[in-house]
Amino acid sequence: MATDDDDRDPFAEFEHASGAGVVRDPYPIFAEMRRECPVFKGPYGDRFGLPVPESMMSKSGAYYTALSYDAVQRVLLDGETFSSSGYAPTVGMLMGHSILEMDEPEHGRYRALIQQAFGLKVMERWEADIVAPIVHGLIDRVVDRGCAELVRELTLPFPIQVIAAILGLPEADLPRFHRWAVELISIMVDIARGFEASQKLRDYFAGILAERRVAPRDDLISVLSQAELDGQRLTDEEIFAFLRLLLPAGAETTYRSSSSLLFGLLTHPDQLDAVRGDRTLIKRAIEEGLRWEPPLTGIARLAMRDVELAGTRIPEGAVVSACLGAANRDDTRWERPDDFDVFREPKPHLAFAYGAHTCLGMHLARMETRVMLNAVFDRLPGLRLDPTAEDVHVTGLAFRAPRALPVLFG
Ligand code: HEM
């Protein structure tokens, strides 16, 4: 597939490093940890035999994990105490100085500039011109077959194609673009490879950005190259950092969340029927899927001062992981938190984080998932899990999704 060199499979390596096939259901352990204390001393991977690589640790080695909804929310709301700059020596080394690692006031300025490219009007155009044709194009390939593997044939490819189309990249570049993006986030597997991928993405984007500066088109790279706030524009390096972030942030997450949502519906056929029959329930189903199985179970912050969090003293310089997975199943906030239930009373969850760094692409992700679900309901009647398929389940620790969704329809 890719133009790159050897036989190693970065996708499989990434899957393994993120706990796929190792951790099947982390939620009973999250619940036990949360019951012991809302803040755990150490990275949550410790409890699963998946230690955090040293490159991701703080200088002092101090590490804490917030597990309760309130503790996670507090960490994410107080960016002054719990800074995002902890990403700089890890993720930032590879991505460049991206929005993810910025604190206020730099973050707010930068976000206001980028947000111009994610407005509601644009979303309507992306839905009609990009997302719907991509989703339907993928369904066209399976619709007459009566069976499909929905991860490989739909939920994995569609968000990547969407990001590439939004950026205005040629379709032929997709495989290597995807490969570099996965290598980029696989720093826990191979840091040298991550750097190589970072450089390749930079060179690749540099060519396209230069073209768009001369002849702007109707795509995100052109918009970013023109975006202006108080007379200031984004530099080329700022644009590269954002673009590098976009594929892992936008495609990896959406593929996983839409796969887990389909898994939830397929394993609860009564709810599948209800949502298919009453499309006003789609919105709730999407939020319940995100609460029940957030694709990313933890994000990180750096303590800028000694601070007390839910009764635990955290020293300045410690890494504080905000465990979105544990927070989203906090039984003091949700009854029967382990049940997938699209009928439960809607309440905000933390899958898109909270506070200043709340996911910038959440409206896009929700729209993509809605379009995908409607298309699946409209075009694959009688959709059900293939009864001969063995042990379909969600897997992973840091990143979670089902590996496959073999289905029958028609
Ligand atoms: C279901 C899908 C998605 C989930 C669960 C998700 C989750 C998240 C989370 C948890 C964060 C906070 C990270 C942190 O502060 O450490 C975040 C930030 C971000 N996400 Fe998403 N995301 C999704 C889809 C997308 C999409 C589709 C895009 C764009 C195309 C996107 C772009 C971003 C960007 C740019 C940020 C950084 C925002 C900032 O730092 O101010 N995400 N996302």
Side-chain angles (χ1 to χ4, degrees):
M1 42 116 64
T3 53
D4 286 28
D5 11 40
D6 58 43
D7 301 333
R8 292 173 54 185
D9 178 352
F11 302 98
E13 287 174 359
F14 176 69
E15 280 293 293
H16 186 74
S18 59
V22 181
V23 179
R24 179 169 176 144
D25 182 4
Y27 288 101
I29 294 183
F30 283 164
E32 194 184 296
M33 290 165 77
R34 202 181 43 234
R35 267 196 302 272
E36 282 165 22
C37 182
V39 180
F40 171 74
K41 189 169 187 316
Y44 60 90
D46 280 1
R47 286 287 268 262
F48 299 87
L50 286 171
V52 171
E54 248 169 57
S55 59
M56 306 292 278
M57 297 297 288
S58 65
K59 281 193 196 117
S60 66
Y63 207 116
Y64 293 79
T65 301
L67 297 152
S68 67
Y69 187 92
D70 290 345
V72 168
Q73 195 181 38
R74 196 182 141 207
V75 168
L76 299 179
L77 202 54
D78 181 359
E80 228 172 273
T81 307
F82 300 102
S83 156
S84 291
S85 64
Y87 286 131
T90 56
V91 187
M93 296 269 280
L94 295 164
M95 302 274 178
H97 184 51
S98 80
I99 186 168
L100 205 62
E101 66 178 54
M102 292 177 189
D103 286 328
E104 305 310 322
E106 183 191 23
H107 171 263
R109 271 195 65 78
Y110 187 85
R111 186 158 167 138
L113 254 169
I114 303 254
Q115 218 145 12
Q116 299 173 15
F118 285 81
L120 274 182
K121 269 223 125 49
V122 178
M123 216 57 68
E124 278 171 24
R125 193 168 59 73
W126 286 347
E127 175 171 348
D129 298 351
I130 294 180
V131 179
I134 287 173
V135 167
H136 283 281
L138 289 166
I139 293 183
D140 285 345
R141 296 188 198 166
V142 303
V143 69
D144 295 327
R145 207 197 294 149
C147 64
E149 199 286 83
L150 286 184
V151 172
R152 196 183 64 243
E153 299 187 278
L154 180 63
T155 52
L156 180 65
F158 99 82
I160 301 159
Q161 292 185 20
V162 167
I163 298 279
I166 283 174
L167 294 178
L169 309 182
E171 232 181 291
D173 292 349
L174 260 174
R176 58 183 171 146
F177 180 49
H178 187 200
R179 184 182 176 113
W180 292 334
V182 170
E183 288 178 350
L184 192 67
I185 47 173
S186 300
I187 40 174
M188 61 281 210
V189 185
D190 188 337
I191 200 153
R193 249 178 184 247
F195 276 112
E196 215 178 288
S198 171
Q199 189 56 39
K200 283 179 180 162
L201 276 167
R202 188 199 177 285
D203 295 346
Y204 175 70
F205 286 133
I208 296 180
L209 181 61
E211 283 172 26
R212 299 295 189 276
R213 285 216 191 276
V214 178
R217 289 196 203 163
D218 203 7
D219 60 37
L220 187 64
I221 298 188
S222 303
V223 175
L224 292 172
S225 72
Q226 312 284 316
E228 201 175 298
L229 191 74
D230 305 334
Q232 238 179 305
R233 286 197 172 184
L234 293 167
T235 64
D236 285 7
E237 287 306 325
E238 283 171 336
I239 293 177
F240 299 146
F242 184 69
L243 295 176
R244 280 198 201 94
L245 173 68
L246 217 47
L247 204 104
E252 190 67 31
T253 46
T254 310
Y255 124 63
R256 288 173 182 278
S257 65
S258 54
S259 306
S260 293
L261 171 58
L262 280 173
F263 172 79
L265 291 169
L266 287 162
T267 50
H268 298 80
D270 50 330
Q271 297 188 43
L272 175 72
D273 284 347
V275 182
R276 185 172 28 212
D278 176 4
R279 303 297 171 86
T280 62
L281 286 173
I282 283 188
K283 203 168 163 235
R284 278 185 176 211
I286 292 174
E287 297 313 310
E288 175 63 357
L290 284 161
R291 181 201 69 81
W292 183 61
E293 278 293 0
L296 181 64
T297 59
I299 58 179
R301 297 292 187 261
L302 185 67
M304 301 306 279
R305 58 178 177 88
D306 292 351
V307 59
E308 191 168 308
L309 180 65
T312 299
R313 208 195 128 266
I314 293 180
E316 179 185 343
V319 170
V320 181
S321 164
C323 186
L324 310 174
N328 270 7
R329 294 210 193 179
D330 187 332
D331 58 5
T332 62
R333 183 172 171 84
W334 286 281
E335 273 175 36
R336 300 170 289 103
D338 295 326
D339 292 357
F340 173 78
D341 179 1
V342 302
F343 299 110
R344 68 169 69 245
E345 181 202 339
K347 270 188 199 170
H349 55 74
L350 296 173
F352 288 120
Y354 194 78
H357 288 267
T358 299
C359 178
L360 187 72
M362 66 181 176
H363 301 307
L364 173 60
R366 286 175 169 137
M367 178 266 277
E368 287 181 83
T369 314
R370 171 172 52 76
V371 171
M372 184 276 292
L373 267 192
N374 270 318
V376 163
F377 290 153
D378 289 342
R379 301 191 60 201
L380 308 179
L383 186 76
R384 59 206 180 274
L385 270 185
D386 181 343
T388 64
E390 262 179 47
D391 195 22
V392 180
H393 63 273
V394 177
T395 181
L397 182 60
F399 292 86
R400 287 178 58 73
R403 279 182 160 153
L405 288 171
V407 293
L408 306 177
F409 45 86

